Amino acid sequence: MTATDVRVAARRLAPGGLGEASARELLAPLDLPFIPATPVGSADEAVSVARGFGLPVVLKALTDEVLHKSDAGLVELGLATPEAVSAAHDRLLERVAALGATDARVVVQPMAPPGTDLILGWVRDPTFGPVVVAGLGGVTVELFRDVARRVAPVTAEDAEEMLASLRCAPLLTGFRGAPPVATKQFCELVARVSELAVAVPELSELDLNPVRVFADGTCAVLDARVVLEPVTADEPRGSTPDLTALVRPRSIAVVGASRDATRPGARVLAALREHGFAGDLHPVNPAGGVVGGLPAVASLGELPGVPDLVCVALPAEAAVESVRECVRLGVPAVIVFASGFGEAGPEGQLLDAELRAAVAGSTTVLCGPNTIGIVSARHRMAATFSQAVNGFALRESGTCLIAQSGAVAGSLVSRELADGYGIGDWVTVGNQSQVDVADYLEHFATLGTTRSIAVFLEGVPDGGRFRRALAAARARAVPVAVFKTGVTEAGRRAVSSHSGALAGSGAAYRAVLAQEGAVQVTELTGLLEVAWTLGNTPRPAGGRVAVVTTSGGAGSATADLVDQHGLELAAFDGRTAAELTAVLPAFAHVDDPLDITAEGTFAEGTVRRVVESVAGDPGVDLVCVVLTSIAGEDAVRVARQIADAADGGTKPVLVSWLVTRSLAADGMALLADRGIRVFTEPARMVAAAAALVSPSHLRSSRV
């Protein structure tokens, strides 16, 4: 008997929730370790069965109509005499009648020995499939919600890691002299149940709660609930498109190029020219003539050759027809900027269907619609109407950005450019009518110029494809930082089980990011900060941090943050302490965090010698420098010393500078030019340090 038998049985049942009795029957082919349960038809039969089990026993009234049996008074525990069993049976029948439950049956179960109660279950996420939940169980699951989540399939080894990640993990490993809980059999059960989740998609939710783990390591499932939902077949997805012409075009045509400088077509053309696109550039305007200083053609068909990329800056309906023309001509790539498609109600959805149909089966790849475009500093291409690049030179960087919001992307990029760090390639995916986040993620990961990828993520249409793209980036050692919107309680769908309540959509995304080694960023404006740091800073060997500061108060605050992020303050060895004592003023206290003091800060060469000494300590893995009110020429001098000390070193050096940027802009710019990240807030610096410490190939971080 296998999961196939369970699926056959599940297909015969109507959608909805199944209580303990029905769940046991459905899952019977798997021979799970359910505690014995015998249905009884009378009080006398209940007494007879109880004697057979051995008193004390448990009586339950089981019904598919009541989720929480204990809350409804349908569970009687610790029945130690025949009289107690008989009376409990009658009480249960009275309560069932009062509830109006028509399918209830009374069962007798042996009273389970003491043990540790855990929960095991899953909820089927519409994007990623079954999310397995394991953690502290019984009635406490609702109170503490201490569970770990992974997307199925889950191995027994994965299950061990899940239990180790719980806040209550010390209770399982032996707290205050208590014997450790033997969880090997439970972890094997997790693996079996996760296989069921994959094999039987009709089971949308499952609760085995509690699963009691006894002193000898054996398990017993004390309660169960299942939710059934019909299964719809997924449409097969085609092969991954080749995005070369989209992000590295040799020639571009702008359809809708306008003489009105405020129009999107005029802005796209101007951005391409301003930022130095070196390929052939063709304005397309029905009136012909000269547009944006270039000779225009009236239609794409008048061009001497087929451009690699066509930027369509027309209203929605006209854009669809323009895309059809691109397909007829064999244009490799198209960007449609217009809104008014799938995001704009029924009429827009019809237009979106026409747009999809226009490129279906062709070799033309489509970015958008409803996008602000694509920018590549390395290719000197700004195919965008965004004002984020106005007034800034494109600065090359190994960081790429993929965003599902054009406005957010432009804002983040403008800050990055203003701070002197740059960005290599960035795209706003728009409505993803054809090419989606996963396609861009996998493509950017294959480029030799990419060092890290930042993703502003609202959602993905194909969870499996997204996971494979994250895995591809990890295989190429390209770190990925993700800011995910819609992760709060408000975004969850209604659920019918504990597992469902504990594994909403946000939890599914967190589980996927963790499993695939991505870093989840919790502050929007820190997304590119973290991504740049991951791609441009050496990975530390461990989590021992030296905090060097120009303020004792700032040092203490940063030390607290180090502890909060699971890092540790380094202990300087004797040689380092001696070197620091020789450099710093006599009144300076040599310890971590290390206050250079005002006198030391302004003494020529002291900052460099301190950072070099600390970074050279074998007990230090990374250095976090916190600067305060250092401005003007002093800011440049101190910044240069820090950069010189870090230059060529193998240990990361991060800087947080608290003074307003206008007072130390030149110093901050110097650090940026020398490849050192400057954070305005120590908390974000330490969070980025924690992300560096967490090996991306093992697990993810949340910063």
Side-chain angles (χ1 to χ4, degrees):
M1 304 289 276
T2 65
T4 302
D5 301 292
V6 177
R7 188 171 193 192
V8 170
R11 287 175 169 177
R12 298 194 189 106
L13 299 173
L18 303 180
E20 181 181 341
S22 299
R24 281 173 175 260
E25 292 176 5
L26 178 62
L27 301 175
L30 299 177
D31 195 27
L32 298 178
F34 281 106
I35 195 164
T38 302
V40 295
S42 66
D44 289 341
E45 187 178 359
V47 170
S48 176
V49 171
R51 284 176 170 153
F53 280 137
L55 298 168
V57 295
V58 176
L59 263 64
K60 297 178 181 178
L62 305 183
T63 169
D64 293 340
E65 299 174 19
V66 178
L67 172 60
H68 300 294
K69 295 187 293 294
S70 297
D71 293 350
L74 301 185
V75 179
E76 296 268 357
L77 300 171
L79 304 172
T81 66
E83 293 77 16
V85 171
S86 179
H89 176 274
D90 293 341
R91 285 195 299 272
L92 290 176
L93 290 183
E94 291 174 1
R95 291 167 187 159
V96 165
L99 291 170
T102 58
D103 66 336
R105 65 187 99 171
V106 176
V107 301
V108 181
Q109 298 177 349
M111 192 76 181
T116 302
D117 286 347
L118 302 177
I119 184 174
L120 168 56
W122 78 70
V123 60
R124 192 169 301 279
D125 182 78
T127 302
F128 296 106
V131 180
V132 176
V133 173
L136 196 66
V139 296
T140 59
V141 68
E142 295 178 35
L143 179 62
F144 298 115
R145 307 176 73 86
D146 189 14
V147 297
R149 308 166 184 86
R150 289 214 179 190
V151 176
V154 175
T155 66
E157 292 74 20
D158 293 333
E160 290 179 9
E161 291 184 6
M162 293 171 73
L163 294 182
S165 72
L166 299 173
R167 294 190 301 275
C168 73
L171 297 177
L172 303 178
T173 56
F175 185 65
R176 289 195 172 183
V181 179
T183 57
K184 182 175 184 293
Q185 189 177 108
F186 176 81
C187 291
E188 292 171 349
L189 181 62
V190 173
R192 289 181 60 198
V193 167
S194 97
E195 292 173 0
L196 177 69
V198 174
V200 188
E202 289 80 5
L203 303 186
S204 65
E205 296 177 29
L206 170 73
D207 265 352
L208 303 180
N209 180 43
V211 178
R212 184 161 294 176
V213 181
F214 303 116
D216 62 357
T218 59
C219 300
V221 180
L222 306 189
D223 201 352
R225 181 171 176 82
V226 168
V227 177
L228 297 168
E229 287 185 2
V231 174
T232 56
D234 294 329
E235 294 184 10
R237 192 185 188 282
S239 59
T240 302
D242 182 359
L243 304 186
T244 302
L246 191 60
V247 300
R248 297 289 188 270
R250 295 164 298 181
S251 55
I252 300 176
V254 180
V255 176
S258 173
R259 294 177 179 84
D260 181 349
T262 65
R263 304 297 298 168
R267 289 180 176 177
V268 171
L269 188 63
L272 286 165
R273 297 196 70 193
E274 176 187 346
H275 294 288
F277 178 67
D280 295 332
L281 185 56
H282 306 283
V284 180
N285 183 294
V290 176
V291 178
L294 294 173
V297 295
S299 68
L300 287 171
E302 296 181 17
L303 291 173
V306 176
D308 284 345
L309 172 64
V310 172
C311 298
V312 179
L314 298 173
E317 289 190 30
V320 173
E321 185 53 45
S322 181
V323 171
R324 291 193 182 106
E325 183 181 9
C326 289
V327 172
R328 286 194 296 268
L329 293 172
V331 172
V334 179
I335 301 174
V336 174
F337 298 98
S339 56
F341 288 90
E343 81 286 357
E347 291 184 4
Q349 291 166 9
L350 289 174
L351 281 176
D352 189 68
E354 291 184 32
L355 188 62
R356 291 173 186 267
V359 295
S362 74
T363 58
T364 301
V365 295
L366 169 68
C367 173
N370 192 24
T371 173
I372 65 170
I374 300 176
V375 178
S376 171
R378 292 191 177 275
H379 196 55
R380 313 310 300 170
M381 180 195 72
T384 181
F385 62 85
S386 172
Q387 295 178 309
V389 295
N390 290 359
F392 291 112
L394 296 183
R395 180 187 291 264
E396 292 187 16
S397 165
T399 305
C400 297
L401 170 64
I402 304 164
Q404 289 182 294
S405 167
V408 168
S411 300
L412 295 180
V413 168
S414 67
R415 295 166 66 105
E416 200 75 352
L417 294 176
D419 289 347
Y421 292 98
I423 187 159
D425 298 279
W426 57 284
V427 58
T428 59
V429 302
N431 293 1
Q432 305 182 102
S433 292
Q434 184 201 47
V435 183
D436 65 18
V437 167
D439 295 317
Y440 292 109
L441 179 58
E442 187 162 347
H443 181 80
F444 286 148
T446 63
L447 299 179
T449 54
T450 301
R451 295 179 183 172
S452 61
I453 299 173
V455 183
F456 176 83
L457 188 66
E458 295 172 353
V460 295
D462 185 335
R465 173 84 184 92
F466 180 61
R467 288 192 68 183
R468 290 191 294 274
L470 287 172
R474 180 175 56 175
R476 292 178 174 271
V478 176
V480 178
V482 179
F483 180 89
K484 173 70 178 72
T485 65
V487 297
T488 62
E489 197 77 31
R492 293 179 177 174
R493 64 186 179 91
V495 291
S496 304
S497 68
H498 291 114
S499 297
L502 293 165
S505 180
Y509 275 94
R510 285 192 291 272
V512 166
L513 296 177
Q515 286 173 252
E516 301 303 340
V519 173
Q520 187 169 2
V521 179
T522 56
E523 289 188 53
L524 176 55
T525 56
L527 175 60
L528 288 178
E529 246 178 20
V530 170
W532 188 96
T533 303
L534 291 173
N536 293 274
T537 309
R539 287 276 180 160
R544 298 168 300 178
V545 181
V547 177
V548 177
T549 178
T550 58
S551 161
S556 298
T558 306
D560 290 340
L561 294 166
V562 167
D563 181 68
Q564 291 166 17
H565 281 82
L567 305 173
E568 61 177 306
L569 288 175
F572 302 140
D573 69 7
R575 186 185 67 177
T576 302
E579 290 176 354
L580 295 172
T581 299
V583 171
L584 294 174
F587 56 84
H589 182 59
V590 176
D591 202 356
D592 192 2
L594 178 66
D595 181 6
I596 299 177
T597 74
E599 182 177 325
T601 300
F602 294 106
E604 184 58 41
T606 298
V607 172
R608 174 174 180 168
R609 293 174 65 186
V610 166
V611 174
E612 285 178 335
S613 179
V614 166
D617 190 301
V620 172
D621 296 312
L622 69 160
V623 181
C624 289
V625 180
V626 185
L627 303 177
T628 48
S629 302
I630 304 171
E633 293 181 1
D634 288 327
V636 175
R637 178 180 53 79
V638 168
R640 181 175 292 109
Q641 290 184 66
I642 293 171
D644 288 345
D647 190 34
T650 59
K651 295 180 181 179
V653 176
L654 305 179
V655 175
S656 176
W657 209 323
L658 301 183
V659 74
T660 183
R661 185 174 186 88
S662 61
L663 293 180
D666 290 342
M668 294 180 186
L670 185 151
L671 289 172
D673 285 338
R674 299 283 293 273
I676 296 176
R677 191 76 205 196
V678 179
F679 300 81
T680 58
E681 166 56 49
R684 289 164 66 158
M685 174 183 63
V686 177
L692 279 171
V693 169
S694 176
S696 62
H697 63 283
L698 294 179
R699 64 176 69 246
S700 81
S701 303
R702 294 183 65 198
V703 301

